[in-house]
């Protein structure tokens, strides 16, 4: 049996290039004691993976050159040498970018494909959803009546942030996106009060028009001009949760910082970065609250599904380009 897996051959400079990667054939791994062999069904591709392709020190170890990369995945157990998991069970784990994976049972979370589609455990009910939930409610200290601005609002995290804010009683929810189609989605399907295409004009001007009374919370997925615009529209006591800065991930030179940071003194504003890994204690609360919203349709989600392990790299590059609506997953 052959296992296809993606290896990182060289560290990208600027935008990743196909020659930085290789789809390699390898033997299907043999699970050891305490492990399960998983046939992956869906793989996750996420912006943070770009950082792990570089050697720079970060919150996660870099991918090793010449070895298979990692990422979220959900699949079916085909062989088990561990108590509590049997062939036919489905699990969520972190050995993606490959067709088969030998996974330590302690690092595999059993999921129920009858309760929700398997792909949702990588998105709306998985790490993506928890990122939105923790970042908005804990890091940004959202409270009822807040006016909330979300960048990258049609993406997997951003779309959930806006909807959770709405369901929690936000006075106004504003989103930015990179196409008129995505703006329409935010308004018509996700229930945002206002949205704009950041390519249609200066972000600061469009944000002031969309939020004439300012914003209390900014959930940052983009950085750059979006962060500067949010600081400019921040109300007194406003909070900014920095989840990602996709606008700078492929830069070869340091990006300039916001030019209006002094405004935080006037507004007593706060900027705080966060990682979802610091907030897994919220997982039970997140599932209890968000699960019923998803089941009832109160919280809607979209997925962009790419077929085939051979297209895993293109799907990842598509995330960096903003091609996806909602969560980008690869179906095997």
């Amino acid at each position: 049996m052959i296992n296809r897996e993606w290896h990182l051959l060289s560290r990208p400079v600027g935008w990743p290039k196909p020659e930085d990667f290789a789809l390699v054939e390898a033997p299907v791994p043999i699970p050891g004691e305490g492990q399960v062999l998983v046939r992956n069904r869906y793989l996750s591709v996420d912006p943070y993976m770009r950082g792990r392709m570089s050697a720079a020190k970060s919150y996660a170890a870099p991918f090793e050159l010449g070895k298979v990369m990692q990422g979220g995945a959900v699949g079916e157990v085909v062989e088990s040498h561990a108590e509590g998991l049997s062939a036919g069970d489905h699990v969520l784990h972190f050995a993606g970018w490959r067709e088969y994976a030998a996974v330590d049972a302690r690092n595999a979370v059993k999921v129920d494909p009858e309760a929700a589609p398997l792909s949702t455990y990588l998105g709306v009910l998985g790490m993506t959803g928890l990122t939105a939930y923790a970042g908005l409610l804990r890091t940004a200290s959202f409270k009822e009546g807040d006016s909330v601005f979300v960048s990258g609002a049609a993406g997997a995290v951003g779309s959930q942030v806006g909807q959770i804010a709405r369901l929690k009683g936000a006075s106004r929810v504003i989103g930015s996106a990179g196409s008129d189609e995505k703006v329409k989605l935010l308004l018509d399907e996700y229930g945002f009060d206002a949205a704009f295409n950041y390519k249609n004009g200066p972000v600061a001007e469009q944000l002031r028009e969309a939020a004439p009374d300012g914003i209390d919370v900014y959930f940052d997925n983009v950085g750059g001009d979006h962060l500067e615009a949010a600081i400019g529209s921040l109300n007194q006591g406003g909070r900014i949760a920095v989840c990602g800065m996709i606008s700078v991930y492929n830069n070869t030179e340091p990006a300039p910082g916001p030019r209006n940071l002094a405004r935080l003194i006037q507004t007593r504003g706060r900027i705080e970065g966060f990682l979802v890994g610091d907030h897994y204690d919220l997982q039970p609360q997140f599932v209890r609250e968000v699960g019923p919203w998803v089941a009832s349709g109160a919280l809607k989600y979209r997925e962009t599904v790419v077929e085939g392990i051979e297209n895993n790299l293109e799907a990842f590059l598509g995330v960096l380009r903003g091609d996806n609506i909602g969560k980008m997953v690869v179906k095997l």
Side-chain angles (χ1 to χ4, degrees), residues 31 33 47 51 145 235 259:
E33 190 63 32
N235 291 330
R259 298 166 294 182

Side-chain angles (χ1 to χ4, degrees), residues 249-317:
Y249 287 170
N250 294 304
N251 286 5
T252 56
E253 298 292 334
R259 298 166 294 182
N260 56 350
L261 282 173
R263 194 168 186 278
L264 295 175
I265 303 170
Q266 172 191 342
T267 61
R268 291 74 145 181
R270 170 169 62 86
I271 300 178
E272 183 176 347
F274 75 99
L275 297 174
V276 66
D278 297 332
H279 301 282
Y280 280 127
D281 62 296
L282 288 177
Q283 181 76 25
Q285 175 184 323
F286 161 70
V287 172
R288 283 196 306 270
E289 188 162 25
V290 175
W293 286 340
V294 174
S296 69
L299 194 153
K300 299 175 173 59
Y301 68 94
R302 291 281 193 98
E303 294 176 336
T304 300
V305 181
V306 173
E307 299 269 353
I309 184 77
E310 64 275 9
N311 293 314
N312 212 83
L313 175 59
E314 182 56 30
F316 168 70
L317 296 175

Side-chain angles (χ1 to χ4, degrees), residues 4-26:
R4 290 182 295 172
E5 53 187 41
W6 281 95
H7 289 200
L8 182 66
L9 300 184
S10 57
R11 303 206 179 277
V13 176
W15 274 85
K17 303 180 293 297
E19 52 265 35
D20 294 323
F21 308 84
L23 182 60
V24 175
E25 291 187 350

Side-chain angles (χ1 to χ4, degrees), residues 225-247:
D225 55 356
H226 280 75
L227 178 56
E228 185 170 297
I231 293 171
S233 286
L234 205 63
N235 291 330
Q236 184 168 318
R239 290 88 64 205
I240 295 174
V242 181
C243 176
M245 292 192 173
I246 199 170
S247 68

Side-chain angles (χ1 to χ4, degrees), residues 45-64:
V45 286
D46 303 280
Y48 80 86
M49 294 173 173
R50 177 62 185 87
R52 296 196 65 191
M53 293 172 188
S54 300
K57 186 177 181 180
S58 185
Y59 59 86
F63 292 133
E64 294 185 59

Side-chain angles (χ1 to χ4, degrees), residues 136 148-167 170-177 182-196 210 219 221 299-300:
L136 177 68
V148 178
F149 172 44
V150 188
S151 58
V157 173
S159 59
Q160 281 195 251
V161 172
Q163 291 184 83
I164 292 171
R166 176 176 53 79
L167 290 163
S171 61
R172 190 167 179 79
V173 179
I174 306 104
S176 71
K182 291 180 179 180
V183 167
K184 188 175 188 301
L185 175 69
L186 296 178
L187 297 172
D188 296 348
E189 187 167 329
Y190 294 155
F192 282 59
D193 297 291
F196 59 87
F219 193 103
N221 291 306
L299 194 153
K300 299 175 173 59

Side-chain angles (χ1 to χ4, degrees), residues 73-94:
V74 64
E76 181 181 354
V77 175
V78 295
E79 184 180 342
S80 176
H81 295 274
E83 291 185 9
L85 290 174
S86 304
D89 288 341
H90 291 81
V91 294
L92 174 69
H93 60 92
F94 206 67

